[in-house]
Amino acid sequence: MKVKKVTLLLIACIVWMAAGFNIFRIGLIEYPPYLSIFNLCLSIIVFTVFQYFIFGKLVKRHTKRILNYKKDYQFFLKFFDLKSFAIMAFMMTAGIYLRVSGLCPVRFIAVFYSGLGLSLLLAGILFGWNYFKNIRQQ
């Protein structure tokens, strides 16, 4: 169950891209009745805020942590630290609850999930980029 530490970046890439794709897909499914320039701009703002303030920094922080592991082989779940697993579990639970409970209007789900999903997808792509950049250096 141990992998090369650089492989943790590839695992993070796959996990983040899968999550991003699924969230983006949910947003896209709900988007058609709310498609407008205003809502597209709101989705772009959501994407930008999450990418600049959260996920972009997260990718850098986790990439640095992974590459700084002293041992070359690590347990395959160490692509995240415990805090990040807890945050992801909370975000997934909250997102599912918001959709199922009906507390948020469908328009919010469409706009917010589209921006958030694309940002998560880009985070996955960046983890992949870091993987391929570092795999060549070995």
Side-chain angles (χ1 to χ4, degrees):
M1 298 297 262
K2 288 188 175 187
V3 297
K4 284 187 173 185
K5 65 182 180 182
V6 73
T7 304
L8 295 173
L9 295 172
L10 181 60
I11 294 169
C13 166
I14 293 165
V15 168
W16 282 84
M17 286 182 69
F21 175 79
N22 283 321
I23 292 171
F24 182 60
R25 182 185 59 78
I26 292 167
L28 283 183
I29 289 169
E30 302 295 348
Y31 224 114
Y34 307 102
L35 188 60
S36 69
I37 297 296
F38 179 73
N39 286 339
L40 287 173
C41 289
L42 288 176
S43 292
I44 291 168
I45 290 169
V46 169
F47 166 82
T48 303
V49 167
F50 273 93
Q51 193 57 46
Y52 183 77
F53 291 106
I54 299 171
F55 299 132
K57 292 178 181 181
L58 181 140
V59 169
K60 289 177 187 172
R61 186 174 69 242
H62 284 290
T63 298
K64 182 178 178 182
R65 177 183 54 79
I66 288 167
L67 294 176
N68 284 332
Y69 282 141
K70 293 187 188 333
K71 294 181 181 178
D72 284 336
Y73 285 85
Q74 297 291 326
F75 184 59
F76 77 100
L77 289 178
K78 288 187 88 175
F79 68 92
F80 258 3
D81 54 15
L82 189 57
K83 178 183 172 186
S84 295
F85 274 114
I87 290 169
M88 180 180 267
F90 171 78
M91 287 178 62
M92 288 172 61
T93 303
I96 292 167
Y97 176 75
L98 286 175
R99 276 195 356 260
V100 172
S101 70
L103 287 175
C104 291
V106 177
R107 177 182 173 190
F108 173 83
I109 299 296
V111 170
F112 186 76
Y113 274 46
S114 296
L116 176 65
L118 275 180
S119 187
L120 284 164
L121 190 60
L122 179 57
I125 291 168
L126 293 173
F127 274 120
W129 175 263
N130 290 337
Y131 167 76
F132 285 109
K133 186 170 66 172
N134 285 282
I135 197 77
R136 290 190 318 216
Q137 295 173 358
Q138 290 186 347

